[in-house]
Structures are given as C-alpha cells and as structure tokens.
Amino acid sequence: DIRLTDTSGVSIGTHLTSLVALYMRNNYCITDVSVDVIMKNCGKLNELVLWGCAQLRHLNFGDANDSGGGGNLSSNNRHESNNSAMVGGFRGNDGGGFVHAPYTANQTTTALACDKIVLLNLWGCFRLSMDAVSSMASLRNLKSLILSECHKLTDEFVVNLAQTV
C-alpha cells in the first residue's frame, strides 16, 4: 500500500512553486501541514483539489488583508509515529501511520492570500472544521467550490463564506 504523506506534500509546496493546478485526490495521509506549505509557496495556484484528503481539519489560505510573504510556518505535531521522517522542517510520515498537525492558538502560520484560486474541491474532507471560513475569505476569485461530504460544515459556514468571498 503506497500512499502520499506530508513528506510529499511539503516537497510539492517547497519545490514546485510554479504550479497552477494541484490535484491530490484520495491522499488520506495528507494533513494541514502539507496544505499550509503549498498555500504559502505556490502563489500561482488557481485550481486545488483536495478530494478525500480526510485528515484536513483547518485550511490556511492567508488573511484577506495579508500581502503575503514572510512569516513563520510551524507545526505542533502531537501524534507522531515512530516511523516519521523530518522533511523541510516538518515532521512527515513515511506510511507507518497518520501524523496529525493540529491547529492550536499558539501555532504561528502565515500563508499567501491565494487570490488566484478559482476552483477549490474539498469533497470528502469530512474533518474540516468551521474555522476554515475565515481563511477562505481571501479566495476572492473563487468560481467553483465543492463541499460535498464535508460533514462538520453547517449552513452557518456556507452563509458566512458566501458573504465574505
């Protein structure tokens, strides 16, 4: 069973900074750590498909008022496996189990305001939490949004998102 983990996600975000589209369907070991690095470094991205990335809990697309750049991107991994490997300053997982990167109030994350994103597919990101709406306010050019099977999201999330984007 070969699966992509945060080792791959961080590498994509660190080295493939000119991407305009990224499809990461059913990579259930990818966590917030990967998406944070990708959003911070891939400023040309306009299509992002995270369908089935079930470990995602919080999205960080930057502040709508953020001009991007700089900042300290760090993670606070509480559930580390003995098989994890350090990659690019982040603890990724080599397939021995999930490594979660829970968002905490003490965590410092700065991401580019990804105003180029026109398509965002979050189908099956059923652990995605309500606080993602504030980050998504920076997606000013969003034209396609898929939220199917995002079970934790409510009408309040959709109404707030619709009013801020």
Side-chain angles (χ1 to χ4, degrees):
D1 185 15
I2 299 172
R3 54 188 167 216
L4 295 183
T5 66
D6 282 330
T7 300
S8 296
V10 169
S11 185
I12 288 169
T14 302
H15 302 290
L16 301 176
T17 57
S18 296
L19 289 178
V20 294
L22 178 60
Y23 297 81
M24 297 184 73
R25 184 174 173 182
N26 288 331
N27 289 295
Y28 56 90
C29 293
I30 296 291
T31 71
D32 303 323
V33 170
S34 294
V35 178
D36 283 353
V37 174
I38 290 164
M39 292 294 88
K40 179 179 184 287
N41 295 324
C42 299
K44 297 178 182 178
L45 203 58
N46 61 40
E47 294 184 12
L48 181 60
V49 175
L50 299 170
W51 180 332
C53 293
Q55 297 303 314
L56 296 180
R57 297 168 194 267
H58 308 274
L59 296 175
N60 186 6
F61 293 109
D63 186 317
N65 300 316
D66 184 5
S67 61
N72 176 24
L73 185 67
S74 63
S75 69
N76 178 9
N77 294 324
R78 288 188 230 153
H79 308 287
E80 295 180 6
S81 139
N82 291 333
N83 298 325
S84 60
M86 189 65 82
V87 174
F90 296 94
R91 188 161 294 284
N93 186 292
D94 68 358
F98 293 133
V99 175
H100 301 287
Y103 180 84
T104 65
N106 296 329
Q107 181 178 2
T108 304
T109 56
T110 301
L112 293 175
C114 293
D115 60 352
K116 291 180 177 60
I117 299 261
V118 295
L119 179 141
L120 180 61
N121 185 336
L122 299 172
W123 184 307
C125 296
F126 58 86
R127 291 188 174 135
L128 194 61
S129 60
M130 292 287 292
D131 64 358
V133 75
S134 62
S135 176
M136 292 173 72
S138 65
L139 302 176
R140 300 285 183 211
N141 290 311
L142 192 64
K143 303 291 184 235
S144 297
L145 176 65
I146 297 132
L147 297 174
S148 300
E149 297 186 32
C150 293
H151 303 299
K152 285 190 169 184
L153 304 183
T154 64
D155 287 342
E156 179 185 3
F157 175 90
V158 175
V159 169
N160 286 337
L161 179 63
Q163 292 173 350
T164 58
V165 172

